[in-house]
């Protein structure tokens, strides 16, 4: 099964903690790019339709993606590769300040025939490039499954009501949606995850997943609600944790068509959440958006201790 991921690449500039002697670190990032990279690390056939400038950050990101086996297709070339300054609090939790534009045009090469399309984050809701993202998704959705991760960045979302409408348009295109509790709190303040999930399921998706950080995760279908805990691990930083979760979800569901997604049982959902949580735990145990490869994910799932480090 082949995957098409559509969305932004971002150079994450991770600031050293105040008072530290450490230098700032630059990591390839961007939520869709991280998902594509995670799928590549797991051995999946994946194409990323994105924008990258021919600058040091762009070349760094492209080399990293291709090193994981990701096919990189450029819709057009911006003046500079987008960047985000990442601040970490005492617990390793990340906050972001962006320098990004999204102006994607075109739908990629004519030979694309994915079995699954993943969209999300800034690219799915930011004009003018979001128009191309949605057009490509609609082009394939009759013959491919679709997933969506809103990955809300409040500073880039604009007026709240319009932002919610843009997000819900993407939800309606998807068969599976994954969001964080922080995403839901911004989109629908004061509402319980189950209330938002029920509304989204009514728009069309078969499955809605909600991540709760150290609190674990939830899965909702029209017939079941399942919860799972998060593995205990020493957190280095949380950069890319949700994207690793998403990659592991897509890997676990590879080959299931729309009907099969709608037929997932409570046991299926519990196993899915456990596997995705293991992938996220590996990622938070080391610096930057470094998702596990197949061997690391299998080891984490088997319950072995997670060790800090960096992926190759």
């Amino acid at each position: 099964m082949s995957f098409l991921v559509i969305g932004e690449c971002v150079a994450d500039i991770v600031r050293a903690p105040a008072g530290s002697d450490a230098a700032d670190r630059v990591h390839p990032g961007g939520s869709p790019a991280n998902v594509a990279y995670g799928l590549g690390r797991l051995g999946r056939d994946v194409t990323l339709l994105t924008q990258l400038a021919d600058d040091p950050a762009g070349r760094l990101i492209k080399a990293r993606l291709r090193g994981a086996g990701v096919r990189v297709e450029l819709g057009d070339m911006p003046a500079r590769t987008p960047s985000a300054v990442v601040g970490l609090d005492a617990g390793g939790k990340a906050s972001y300040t962006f320098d990004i534009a999204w102006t994607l045009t075109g739908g990629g090469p004519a030979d694309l025939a994915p079995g699954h399309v993943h969209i999300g984050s800034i690219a799915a809701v930011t004009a003018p490039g979001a128009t191309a993202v949605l057009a490509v998704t609609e082009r394939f959705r009759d013959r491919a499954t679709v997933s969506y991760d809103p990955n809300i960045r409040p500073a880039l979302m604009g007026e709240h009501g319009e932002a919610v409408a843009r997000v819900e348009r993407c939800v309606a295109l998807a068969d599976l949606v994954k969001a964080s509790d922080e995403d839901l709190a911004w989109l629908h303040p004061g509402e319980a995850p189950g209330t938002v999930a029920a509304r989204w399921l009514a728009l069309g998706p078969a499955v809605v997943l909600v991540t709760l950080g150290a609190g674990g995760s939830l899965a909702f279908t029209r017939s079941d609600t399942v919860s799972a805990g998060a593995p205990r691990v020493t957190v280095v930083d949380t950069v890319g944790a949700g994207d690793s979760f998403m990659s592991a979800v897509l890997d676990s569901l590879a080959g299931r068509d729309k009907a099969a997604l709608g037929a997932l049982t409570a046991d299926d959902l519990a196993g899915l959440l456990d596997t995705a949580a293991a992938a996220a735990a590996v990622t938070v145990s080391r610096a930057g958006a470094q998702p596990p490869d197949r061997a690391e994910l299998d080891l984490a799932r088997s319950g072995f201790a997670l060790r800090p480090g960096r992926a190759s």
Side-chain angles (χ1 to χ4, degrees):
M1 179 181 185
S2 62
F3 292 85
L4 172 63
V5 179
I6 313 172
E8 72 272 6
C9 294
V10 179
D12 288 336
I13 305 166
V14 182
R15 295 291 190 215
S20 169
D21 293 332
D24 293 347
R25 307 188 308 272
V26 179
H27 297 292
S31 177
N34 290 340
V35 172
Y37 181 70
L39 286 167
R41 293 268 294 162
L42 293 171
R44 293 296 179 179
D45 178 359
V46 56
T47 297
L48 176 66
L49 178 58
T50 190
Q51 294 180 295
L52 281 171
D54 185 18
D55 57 17
R59 291 189 288 272
L60 172 69
I61 292 170
K62 187 184 294 187
R64 184 213 197 203
L65 289 163
R66 288 179 171 170
V70 178
R71 179 184 178 189
V72 179
E73 294 290 345
L74 301 180
D76 53 13
M77 188 172 291
R80 64 184 182 279
T81 295
S83 63
V85 175
V86 184
L88 302 175
D89 66 16
K93 185 177 179 59
S95 61
Y96 299 83
T97 302
F98 292 95
D99 178 9
I100 184 169
W102 179 251
T103 59
L104 184 76
T105 58
D111 64 348
L112 285 176
H116 184 88
V117 178
H118 175 72
I119 62 174
S121 196
I122 298 163
V125 296
T126 301
T131 299
V133 175
L134 297 182
V136 175
T137 305
E138 289 171 343
R139 169 183 156 200
F140 291 118
R141 72 184 297 259
D142 286 343
R143 55 187 185 273
T145 50
V146 176
S147 58
Y148 170 57
D149 177 1
N151 193 44
I152 297 296
R153 302 305 185 198
L156 302 177
M157 295 301 291
E159 194 275 327
H160 184 266
E162 293 179 359
V164 171
R166 293 195 300 271
V167 167
E168 290 187 347
R169 181 180 179 188
C170 295
V171 169
L173 288 173
D175 301 292
L176 180 146
V177 178
K178 192 278 292 182
S180 71
D181 53 351
E182 293 180 344
D183 295 334
L184 300 189
W186 189 86
L187 289 165
H188 301 288
E191 294 194 35
T195 302
V196 180
R199 185 182 303 123
W200 285 0
L201 289 168
L203 293 174
V207 184
V208 173
L209 307 178
V210 179
T211 57
L212 309 172
S217 55
L218 302 167
F220 301 90
T221 65
R222 291 175 182 83
S223 58
D224 292 295
T225 299
V226 175
S227 62
R232 292 186 178 182
V233 62
T234 299
V235 176
V236 174
D237 68 48
T238 62
V239 177
D243 303 324
S244 292
F245 187 101
M246 187 81 250
S247 295
V249 165
L250 298 183
D251 173 71
S252 296
L253 296 177
R256 293 182 186 255
D257 61 15
K258 295 176 186 291
L261 288 179
L264 291 173
T265 67
D267 286 344
D268 293 332
L269 295 170
L272 182 68
L273 293 180
D274 285 345
T275 297
V282 172
T283 300
V284 302
S285 73
R286 52 199 186 190
Q290 297 288 343
D293 62 17
R294 180 68 62 190
E296 289 173 323
L297 181 56
D298 289 345
L299 186 64
R301 289 179 61 198
S302 70
F304 283 88
L306 301 172
R307 300 178 180 178
R310 287 186 62 85
S312 59

